[in-house]
Amino acid sequence: MAYNDVYQSWKTDPEGFWLEAAKGIDWVKAPVKALSDDKAPMYEWFADSMVNACWNAVDRHVENGRGEQVAIIHDSPVTHSKREITFVELRNRVANLAGALRAKGIGKGDRVIIYMPMIPEALEAMLACARLGAVHSVVFGGFAANELAVRIDDCTPKAIIAASCGIEPGRVVHYKPLLDGAIDLATHKPEFCVIYQREQEVAHLEEGRDYNWHGFQYGVEPAECVPVEGSHPAYILYTSGTTGQPKGVVRPTGGHLVALNWTMKNIYNVDPGDVFWAASDVGWVVGHSYICYGPLVHGNTTVVFEGKPVGTPDAGTFWRVIEEHKVKSFFTAPTAFRAVKREDPTGEFVKKYDLSGLKAVYLAGERADPDTIVWAQDHLKVPVIDHWWQTELGYPAVCNPVGIELLPVKLGSPSVPLPGYAMKILDDNGHELPAGELGAVVTPLPLPPGTLQTLWNAEGRFKKSYLEHFPGYYETGDAGMIDEDGYLYIMARTDDVINVAGHRLSTGGMEEVLAGHPDVAECAVIGVSDALKGQLPVGFLCLNTGADRNEAEVVSEVVKMVRDKIGPVAAFKLAVVVDRLPKTRSGKILRGTMVSIADSKPYKMPATIDDPDILDEIAAALKLIGLANG
Ligand code: COA
Ligand code: AMP
């Protein structure tokens, strides 16, 4: 079938389409009804079914004769180690860990935070929770203690599973002090922690609260898979919104399994047994969907890569991993390719490796700039597929459906909507805009299976953020347009979210930190264009009247504050002191205009600006830090 046929078959009978896709999953009780609208607009998929995610990702492959197939390849240039785990080994390891968690009282519905680097044990911890019907919430290692504390208070975990450390090039990330600090800061306290001691650092364990990963599993009964309802939350994953309070995306189990399994063939074009690699991190949605669940559920081998695109040890690492592990489909963020391209513009490293097994490359997480795509096409000689999705959706919504049919690639566009989605562009009043016009990107409700069910503890915020502005639609938060052929182009965010090296960050959250500095009266953070990371945050600080401070000192203090409170991943290194911020007469800070100035782009003088002269002051301040044609 061609893409149009598949898409039409979904349009004609969406429930039938997803019930057919559901046949790819092992159910304890198969769904009879696909969609329940009892709680509309909070739709549920496969609510009448019973299922277990771990069974589908692990045990069923052992039962079906794939036990000796490698399930996980750990390739870690930062620790100079490699390891392979077969499905049968994975089943035994996960069942033991789940048994130990169960012995300590973890059961269905209990939350467990996982704070771990890119090691197989992170996936094992996720799967052990899934085995018990416990709800995991993985927190990215680049976040600081305060961010971890916010998540502890929001999802109130009974347990936290962490590693002693992570390894970043040139430094050890001491996870345990960050974890201890977070628990001190949080109001909620977990009952216990499980610590995986890495050889690079053995952490101090607190008597009575912390257990060693290995010792804790000694002599326990392995746990069987616990069936849960299709609508039972598989996990909570926090993502950035407009404020410093992250949004806890709740992923329902049944739809998640069905949709991910469907995407592995129809998008990523892999068959069971093939090696699939998503070079991301378990702390992001890409890691949940395409390092852990998607490939494993589909019977693929997944690569857990602990390294960077460059510097570990060189710009050939990606190609070495692809050759060595026979990767068929590869997924990464455009920023990673920009990093490689910067060090290897003529593709010398690419030539050193046999990439004949590689069939396609997928990019997501931020806009894929045409130069980067062309570089990858020229050197890798395979289709380079930009595809669009979000933490909320859990898997690609707009994509060139390679496994169904490779449509013509249009540079700058992630292509066409997949079954489940029917993107439209609306103006601010909710009127649909014609082809080529820029507006808010929306898709009609109900969202397909596997997309967010709600926000944890924040149903009101869920409705307000996504459903209320354009009734009947899910608002993506992105602005874009659709061309005559139905191809979508994403242009910008409509909120205060920025995208730094493929990482989604809240400028509002950074402003909350800056505002906490005793000498800062007012502040703004904007995202400016950056050739490597896509965007970088820049802070503007107005100091309190009478604050007799050295400006450079204040700047370095706020840089440190953001690193300490949000984490190194915020990449907040640029800030300037200004006398005033440009505002409208009603007091709204003109962030968009500031971004245009910083990016040296033409802009229209806002009609409602209070004092146009301030824009010159902003331009002068930006020049001082090398921006705005400085
Ligand atoms: N734990 C602790 N710290 C981390 C971390 C982690 N898991 N991941 C990143 N950091 C730190 C980095 O060490 C860096 O710290 P520094 O300020 O001391 O140098 C900081 O956070 C910023 O990291 P990053 O933005 O990743 O920049 P980088 O300079 O280390 O690497 C790239 C640049 C482009 C190579 C890198 O960003 C990259 O590979 N990006 C891919 C993004 C990706 O996979 N996104 C997921 C969506 S698909
Ligand atoms: P995240 O939730 O971290 O996956 O970030 C989702 C956001 O990243 C989207 O709302 C977009 O703003 C941006 N994004 C993701 N994929 C793409 C893409 N292919 N092209 C442009 N922007 C993208």
Side-chain angles (χ1 to χ4, degrees), residues 263-271 274 276 298 328-329 359-360 362 402-404:
T263 60
M264 293 309 296
K265 178 65 193 165
N266 291 288
I267 297 180
Y268 299 109
N269 204 15
V270 283
D271 293 307
D274 289 339
F276 179 85
H298 194 248
K328 187 172 174 196
S329 281
K359 299 298 173 210
Y362 297 81
V402 182
I404 302 171

Side-chain angles (χ1 to χ4, degrees), residues 274-344:
D274 289 339
V275 182
F276 179 85
W277 178 25
S280 179
D281 189 284
V282 281
W284 308 118
V285 70
V286 179
H288 283 63
S289 296
Y290 294 114
I291 295 174
C292 186
Y293 291 106
L296 293 180
V297 168
H298 194 248
N300 293 110
T301 301
T302 185
V303 180
V304 173
F305 174 70
E306 190 180 22
K308 300 271 174 181
V310 292
T312 61
D314 55 38
T317 306
F318 277 177
W319 326 130
R320 196 262 309 154
V321 171
I322 290 169
E323 178 193 279
E324 195 171 324
H325 304 303
K326 303 186 175 54
V327 173
K328 187 172 174 196
S329 281
F330 174 49
F331 179 160
T332 190
T335 189
F337 270 16
R338 287 196 296 270
V340 173
K341 175 175 150 234
R342 196 164 72 167
E343 295 217 349
D344 185 19

